Amino acid sequence: MKPAATAHPHNPWLAHTVRIVNIASAAPGVFMCDLVFEDPAAAGEYSYLPGQFNMLYLPGLGEIAISISGDPDARACVAHTIREAGNVTRALSQLPVGASIGLRGPFGSHWPVEQCRGRDIVLVAGGIGLAPLRPVVCHLLTHRDEFGDLTLIIGAREPAGLLYPSEYEAWRAHGIDVQVTVDRADCSWSGKIGMVTNVLDRIPLRDAGQPVLMTCGPEVMMWYTVQLALGRGMRPESLFVSLERNMNCAIGLCGHCQFGPEFLCKDGPIFRYDRVASILKVDDL
Ligand SMILES: Cc1cc2nc3c(=O)[nH]c(=O)nc-3n(C[C@H](O)[C@H](O)[C@H](O)COP(=O)(O)OP(=O)(O)OC[C@H]3O[C@@H](n4cnc5c(N)ncnc54)[C@H](O)[C@@H]3O)c2cc1C
């Protein structure tokens, strides 16, 4: 069964039909999935900002939040990077190219790239946390001259878990200092071993560059990353984290992801750290 073929672009409840045009393995248990809108009008109206997410709908199975991991300036298709976790993600991983699913979105807050013009930026990604930061990388590459020093620290448990490794050289060639580290090496690995915080501790941070930090990954990783950044003199208002908790409606109505005054789906998933410091210490909602 196909979801509604023509949904009103401004009705956040209705799913657009999108077709899978590419599906590829990204790492063990992780795959990339590119989607195009069946309805050209919906495709024309769709745009997103780095860090926003879509709700992907498989009829009969359910709907899940997935960050958009493509280039916001490339309109041909909408890219997602998905870790197989349970029913919906597993079923998605088994769909063939050409299959149709439903998509609502984009939803949520975004990384503050526009406000970072002229400043240094440090991105810290752990595991699949690089997926929601990849649109930031794409944006920075397209607008490289508008920013100061750019550093991207990528961590993974093991080398096979690194996302998009074939892109790192191109990112470096365009002026991003890409530093990669793994928790556990194997014989294929000659790079850094250790946590992202070990790397963050050593990179230069120029006061004059008014550095901004954006981090996404396991919450414990983000917690230590932020503490280290604060310890190195970065300002609390320059630190941004992504909180990915279970959510349902994605528009702040069902209350499923409410935490105090914040609805993680509409006020997040990207937050300034000082707004959500207390949430980061809570396991799940
Ligand atoms: C804003 C947002 C963006 C996200 N972006 C991505 C993304 O880019 N790529 C990706 O692979 N996943 C992403 N997720 C997580 C994704 O939504 C869940 O993995 C998915 O809902 C699991 O659905 P399922 O039916 O396959 O598994 P379920 O059967 O629902 O769950 C399987 C296991 O995963 C856990 N789980 C479910 N949802 C979450 C969640 N939100 N956070 C942590 N654990 C969860 C469950 O507790 C359970 O242990 C995002 C979540 C949010 C809220």
Side-chain angles (χ1 to χ4, degrees):
M1 188 180 86
K2 282 188 174 186
T6 47
H8 190 285
H10 301 303
N11 184 338
W13 291 110
L14 292 181
H16 291 280
T17 302
V18 288
R19 191 162 30 85
I20 300 175
V21 291
N22 185 41
I23 193 153
S25 170
V30 182
F31 61 99
M32 295 179 71
C33 179
D34 295 339
L35 303 171
V36 294
F37 287 84
E38 297 279 15
D39 176 4
E45 301 215 17
Y46 183 89
S47 67
Y48 64 92
L49 294 165
Q52 289 195 292
F53 67 95
N54 288 320
M55 297 298 288
L56 302 185
Y57 169 51
L58 267 73
L61 277 174
E63 196 184 41
I64 56 169
I66 297 293
S67 302
I68 308 160
S69 55
D71 180 350
D73 291 323
R75 306 291 293 273
C77 65
V78 192
H80 301 82
T81 305
I82 305 174
R83 185 173 61 85
E84 291 175 41
N87 285 345
V88 179
T89 46
R90 249 196 309 274
L92 256 174
S93 75
Q94 284 157 14
L95 289 177
V97 168
S100 293
I101 63 171
L103 180 152
R104 292 194 293 132
F107 295 114
S109 60
H110 54 89
W111 300 107
V113 281
E114 292 301 327
Q115 295 97 293
C116 294
R117 282 175 203 280
R119 299 173 69 177
D120 294 350
I121 301 178
V122 181
L123 308 175
V124 182
I128 197 163
L130 183 54
L133 283 168
R134 186 164 174 259
V136 179
V137 174
C138 295
H139 181 90
L140 297 177
L141 293 177
T142 308
H143 304 272
R144 179 65 192 92
D145 296 345
E146 297 169 24
F147 299 91
D149 291 350
L150 304 178
T151 308
L152 167 60
I153 303 172
I154 302 170
R157 292 214 171 98
E158 58 243 330
L162 289 166
L163 293 183
Y164 326 122
S166 61
E167 299 180 29
Y168 301 166
E169 274 319 308
W171 295 352
R172 287 187 180 112
H174 286 86
I176 301 184
D177 178 14
V178 181
Q179 306 232 14
V180 185
T181 184
V182 298
D183 294 352
R184 286 184 301 275
D186 57 25
C187 52
S188 72
W189 186 251
S190 56
K192 293 186 178 64
I193 301 173
M195 291 179 291
V196 288
T197 42
N198 297 344
V199 182
L200 178 62
D201 204 16
R202 293 199 187 102
I203 61 162
L205 289 175
R206 304 184 301 148
D207 273 355
Q210 298 176 19
V212 177
L213 179 133
M214 307 178 200
T215 180
C216 186
E219 291 195 2
V220 65
M221 182 215 88
M222 292 193 286
W223 170 257
Y224 281 109
T225 295
V226 163
Q227 301 317 309
L228 181 62
L230 290 170
R232 292 203 59 193
M234 290 188 72
R235 302 186 194 121
E237 64 272 19
S238 299
L239 309 177
F240 294 85
V241 298
S242 173
L243 293 183
E244 294 184 355
R245 304 298 181 87
N246 287 314
M247 54 183 64
N248 282 353
C249 74
I251 51 176
L253 291 180
C254 75
H256 201 79
C257 64
Q258 184 173 8
F259 187 88
E262 312 285 2
F263 288 85
L264 298 194
C265 63
K266 80 176 172 60
D267 302 319
I270 314 301
F271 286 98
R272 216 174 82 175
Y273 166 72
D274 52 3
R275 273 181 69 185
V276 293
S278 61
I279 305 180
L280 257 186
K281 293 179 188 158
V282 176
D283 273 350
D284 207 344
L285 305 177

